[in-house]
Amino acid sequence: MNYVEFHDEEESFSNSLQDRLLQSNTEISDTDLKKIYKYHFYRGYHNIILLELVNLCSTLFMVFFILILVKCIDYEGLGAITKGDDNYLWDYIELRNIIEPTFLNICFIIIFSLYILLRLITLIDDIKGYSEIKDFIKRKLDLGTYDIKNMEWLEIVNRLEDTFGIGIYQVQSRILRTENIMITIFDSGLNKFVFSKLMEWNITYGIFNTVQKYFNLDDIIIKNYLEESEFLEDNNEKVEKQKLKFKNKEKIIKECSRNFIILAFITFLFMPFLFIYVLFFSFLKYGERYYHNPVKITYRQWSINSYWKMRYYNELTSDLDVRTDISSKYAKEYLNSHKSKIIQNIIKFLVLITSSLFMILLFLSVYNENLLLNLNITPHRHILWYLGILASIIAIGRSVIKNNTTRLNKIEKADSLKKLLIYNPFLRNINGSNKQEIEQNRVSEIKKTYIYQLHTLFKECFSVLIVPCCLIYICNYMYSIINTLENNLYYDEVLGFIAKDSHFRILRKDSNNKSLLSFKEFRRKYPDWGANIEIYQLDNISILQKNSDEDKPNHNYPKSIFDNTFNSDISII
């Protein structure tokens, strides 16, 4: 379940001083650039609007479906049905219960009506906004919907550069202004609190929504100074540094803390509705997948907080998704080569027992087909019911055994690790006294970040219960958070206020590893940009040495909006 994307909330501030400063130079705002990127990613105006409508209809369906399941079904009557009864499902469903004139029902209808009204206003605003973007792209860039569907992102940026004089670095720095700032914040101890999409959204909204109002020259003191650097070839050369300071830091801290408390209160107030909605949504969305393919229970994925650890500065979300998908393949191979033989043997034993029981029950049902539905093994549980349960256990067990038996030799394991580190280089810095300890620690770290999908599903469902407490707890560290943000802000005359570590033009040999790795990835994707920085500021630094190009990611974007309907970051579903 995804929540309202933070960028859309930021659009209400498009007329701020920062946007006016940027528009005076480039005649195109951050908000417009974000919409142009979404327009390209979702392949046109009609796809975006249809996606919004589908998501809205999905939300409406889920709410009414949950109401029917909770309030309208006579479960006692269904449980009393016996063999030979001639009943219909509709005899046990009373739809009028939805609109019972109780206090709780009235409150729910009012709240839900307000929510639908807000969603409709947002939808109308999107229709208007993206219609303007469509006309803008047609008028200024001379591109139609068909062109957008068949063009790469860089080709569109080249059109923007020809028209407005803004290159790929400026475009992506401005599109990802929020993400670049939040990467540094989420790289801190706050990362452990990013355990669900809801918590991620609350932290991003609660911090950035407040602080970005102060991103102007009236509320921030900027001090520029020169400092000698031992990393430059000429020891007499000095590096230009910058220090920013909020004039009203205490006020910002109080506002952020107040926002967190308000978000905690709202989450607590709507906790029953949120919990039921997330639980049912997750159950209905993933239950069918696991039922028809139980092996998927053993699948892993990168955790939500690890995405922020892995994300490069100025890296688009679509590029991050491609990179994490590829790294998942090699992480799975690497972990499979370290699975315990003891667990494998235990699973083999369980599969042997369940397979034997399954075959016996199957033989009995062939011997007499009436036994299938009329012979109970336990009260009210016949043979067919147990055959389904045993078949699922066997499928899961055999999948685990199959993965365990495909163990890699030493060379293959080293190759998988090398490829994994290409796509997730942040796993390189693992401490240990010897190679064996380093490998054990690396396996442990991968297991903590590359977790079972079922684990993520449970955290999404039950984290709603602890989100209010976590938000209030974080308020105790708000000074440290704002101090970290303040120390990582940089003012560029062209880009405005950005994350210092994301500013590739001021990179030096003593810059942090994440900035250097981000620059390396950016240069790999856009080789025509940044050569002067690499030559004159970074020279022959080892972290920028090229890896093998054999595993370059293929950018296979979705051909249909329905590939992204339930994973869209645009709406609440």
Side-chain angles (χ1 to χ4, degrees), residues 502-566:
S502 72
H503 195 3
F504 294 157
R505 296 189 185 280
I506 62 171
L507 280 183
R508 305 291 173 185
K509 288 186 178 182
D510 56 343
S511 297
N512 67 51
N513 278 3
K514 191 159 200 173
S515 297
L516 293 171
L517 287 168
S518 300
F519 172 77
K520 176 184 177 181
E521 177 68 10
F522 199 86
R523 283 273 290 120
R524 187 192 70 79
K525 285 187 62 61
Y526 311 109
D528 294 334
W529 184 89
N532 59 328
I533 295 175
E534 188 172 329
I535 293 171
Y536 297 110
Q537 295 173 208
L538 301 173
D539 194 32
N540 216 6
I541 188 169
S542 60
I543 199 172
L544 299 180
Q545 298 303 311
K546 291 183 179 180
N547 290 309
S548 171
D549 290 331
E550 61 184 4
D551 298 303
K552 285 185 178 179
N554 295 318
H555 295 273
N556 296 321
Y557 295 112
K559 297 178 180 179
S560 165
I561 63 160
F562 296 104
D563 295 341
N564 283 76
T565 297
F566 293 106

Side-chain angles (χ1 to χ4, degrees), residues 141-159:
L141 305 183
D142 193 26
L143 295 174
T145 302
Y146 180 81
D147 299 317
I148 291 290
K149 289 180 179 179
N150 294 280
M151 291 180 71
E152 295 294 333
W153 171 241
L154 184 57
E155 296 178 79
I156 297 175
V157 174
N158 289 337
R159 293 289 186 101

Side-chain angles (χ1 to χ4, degrees), residues 445-497:
E445 180 65 23
I446 294 173
K447 285 181 177 179
K448 284 196 298 184
T449 55
Y450 190 56
I451 59 178
Y452 288 106
Q453 288 183 0
L454 204 59
H455 184 196
T456 303
L457 181 60
F458 276 112
K459 284 202 295 187
E460 285 288 348
C461 292
F462 294 98
S463 65
V464 177
L465 305 176
I466 62 172
V467 164
C469 300
C470 291
L471 290 174
I472 293 174
Y473 178 78
I474 292 173
C475 291
N476 297 318
Y477 301 92
M478 195 57 67
Y479 180 85
S480 177
I481 294 170
I482 299 302
N483 195 49
T484 299
L485 190 151
E486 181 185 61
N487 292 334
N488 193 47
L489 268 185
Y490 189 92
Y491 178 74
D492 182 87
E493 291 184 357
V494 177
L495 300 174
F497 291 97

Side-chain angles (χ1 to χ4, degrees), residues 217-325:
L217 300 178
D218 294 328
D219 291 312
I220 296 180
I221 301 171
I222 302 174
K223 179 184 177 183
N224 293 302
Y225 60 95
L226 297 176
E227 183 179 278
E228 291 186 359
S229 175
E230 61 178 304
F231 291 92
L232 295 175
E233 292 182 6
D234 186 354
N235 292 329
N236 295 323
E237 188 173 351
K238 294 185 177 182
V239 177
E240 185 177 342
K241 297 280 187 175
Q242 187 183 94
K243 178 70 176 177
L244 273 68
K245 183 179 180 181
F246 288 113
K247 291 182 180 178
N248 301 306
K249 185 188 287 188
E250 294 299 325
K251 180 181 178 182
I252 294 173
I253 292 171
K254 288 180 180 178
E255 281 192 39
C256 287
S257 299
R258 185 174 68 247
N259 284 349
F260 270 57
I261 292 172
I262 292 172
L263 289 171
F265 175 75
I266 293 173
T267 306
F268 180 79
L269 186 64
F270 295 103
M271 185 185 294
F273 304 107
L274 281 173
F275 178 73
I276 293 173
Y277 180 86
V278 175
L279 187 65
F280 272 87
F281 177 82
S282 302
F283 174 75
L284 296 174
K285 179 180 177 181
Y286 295 100
E288 184 272 338
R289 298 183 189 179
Y290 293 147
Y291 178 77
H292 289 286
N293 193 0
V295 176
K296 288 186 177 181
I297 293 177
T298 63
Y299 287 3
R300 290 176 177 263
Q301 65 182 32
W302 296 107
S303 62
I304 295 171
N305 54 356
S306 70
Y307 272 79
W308 290 101
K309 291 283 189 181
M310 293 171 63
R311 187 166 193 166
Y312 295 127
Y313 291 108
N314 299 316
E315 181 179 30
L316 296 171
T317 304
S318 54
D319 294 333
L320 174 64
D321 290 340
V322 171
R323 189 161 58 87
T324 52
D325 286 344

Side-chain angles (χ1 to χ4, degrees), residues 166-182:
I166 52 175
I168 184 67
Y169 172 67
Q170 287 175 274
V171 170
Q172 293 196 188
S173 291
R174 290 170 57 185
I175 289 175
L176 299 166
R177 192 186 305 274
T178 304
E179 288 79 357
N180 286 335
I181 291 173
M182 296 309 297

